[in-house]
């Protein structure tokens, strides 16, 4: 009887250990790494705008901020960063149509991974543009004329 109890305790300990080790690792969020457009800035960076997902990239800002054309992103990138915070770069531009004008902000993650580490562009790649929006507009949404 003593052997059975010892064996049962040992098998319980092993199965508890195995269950603890087999807990799945959190999978990276799904996102589209394909490139929609690219622009070279004045410091020599070729910055991709990836499709991304609803949280960042083209699929985010085309819906949330009404940016429908690559030229809206490429204009501000055709210069030097206006702000720097480590791998995060911010570029500013202005869209003008007659007497109308609006400030455009493009945010770039110039690193392989996003700041939170959830997304990885792959070896030798950069995340690129994570957001583009029109500043001082309701919900930072660009007017339709910006993407015409």
């Amino acid at each position: 009887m003593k052997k059975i109890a010892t064996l049962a305790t040992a098998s319980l300990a092993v199965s508890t250990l195995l269950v603890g080790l087999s807990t799945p690792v959190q999978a990276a969020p799904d996102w589209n790494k394909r490139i929609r457009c690219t622009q070279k800035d004045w410091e020599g960076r070729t910055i991709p705008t990836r499709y991304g997902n609803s949280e960042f990239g083209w699929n985010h800002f085309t819906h949330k901020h009404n940016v429908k054309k690559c030229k809206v992103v490429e204009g501000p990138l055709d210069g030097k960063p206006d702000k720097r915070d480590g791998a995060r770069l911010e570029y500013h531009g202005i869209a003008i149509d007659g007497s109308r004008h609006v400030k455009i902000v493009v945010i770039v993650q110039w690193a392989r991974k996003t700041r939170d580490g959830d997304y990885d562009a792959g070896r030798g790649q950069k995340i690129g543009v994570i957001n583009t929006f029109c500043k001082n507009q309701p919900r930072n949404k660009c007017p339709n004329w910006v993407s015409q």
Side-chain angles (χ1 to χ4, degrees):
M1 188 59 133
K2 191 174 181 180
K3 276 187 176 183
I4 294 174
T6 305
L7 185 57
T9 303
S11 66
L12 179 63
V14 168
S15 59
T16 301
L17 179 63
L18 290 176
V19 168
L21 292 176
S22 67
T23 304
V25 175
Q26 184 69 25
D30 189 36
W31 71 295
N32 188 337
K33 295 180 188 180
R34 286 185 312 130
I35 295 172
R36 164 83 177 173
C37 38
T38 59
Q39 177 65 39
K40 193 168 192 169
D41 77 0
W42 289 3
E43 295 178 351
R45 296 177 195 88
T46 300
I47 301 170
T49 300
R50 299 178 187 278
Y51 282 96
N53 60 22
S54 63
E55 293 183 24
F56 79 100
W58 184 266
N59 289 334
H60 166 75
F61 58 76
T62 195
H63 298 292
K64 186 170 183 179
H65 301 298
N66 199 33
V67 174
K68 307 288 185 190
K69 302 272 183 167
C70 285
K71 69 178 184 174
V72 179
V73 179
E74 294 167 348
L77 292 177
D78 187 18
K80 292 184 179 184
D82 294 282
K83 290 184 181 179
R84 297 171 194 256
D85 181 11
R88 182 185 171 108
L89 308 174
E90 194 171 300
Y91 297 79
H92 300 165
I94 297 175
I96 300 171
D97 180 32
S99 63
R100 302 183 290 191
H101 67 281
V102 66
K103 185 174 184 180
I104 299 170
V105 177
V106 178
I107 300 172
V108 171
Q109 180 67 17
W110 192 245
R112 175 180 172 172
K113 294 184 179 184
T114 53
R115 192 181 281 189
D116 60 13
D118 286 349
Y119 299 93
D120 187 335
R123 188 178 200 176
Q125 301 295 310
K126 304 293 186 195
I127 294 289
V129 176
I130 58 175
N131 203 2
T132 301
F133 58 91
C134 289
K135 195 166 183 162
N136 300 323
Q137 298 294 304
R139 296 176 294 146
N140 289 329
K141 194 169 186 171
C142 294
N144 288 335
W145 62 265
V146 171
S147 288
Q148 291 177 345

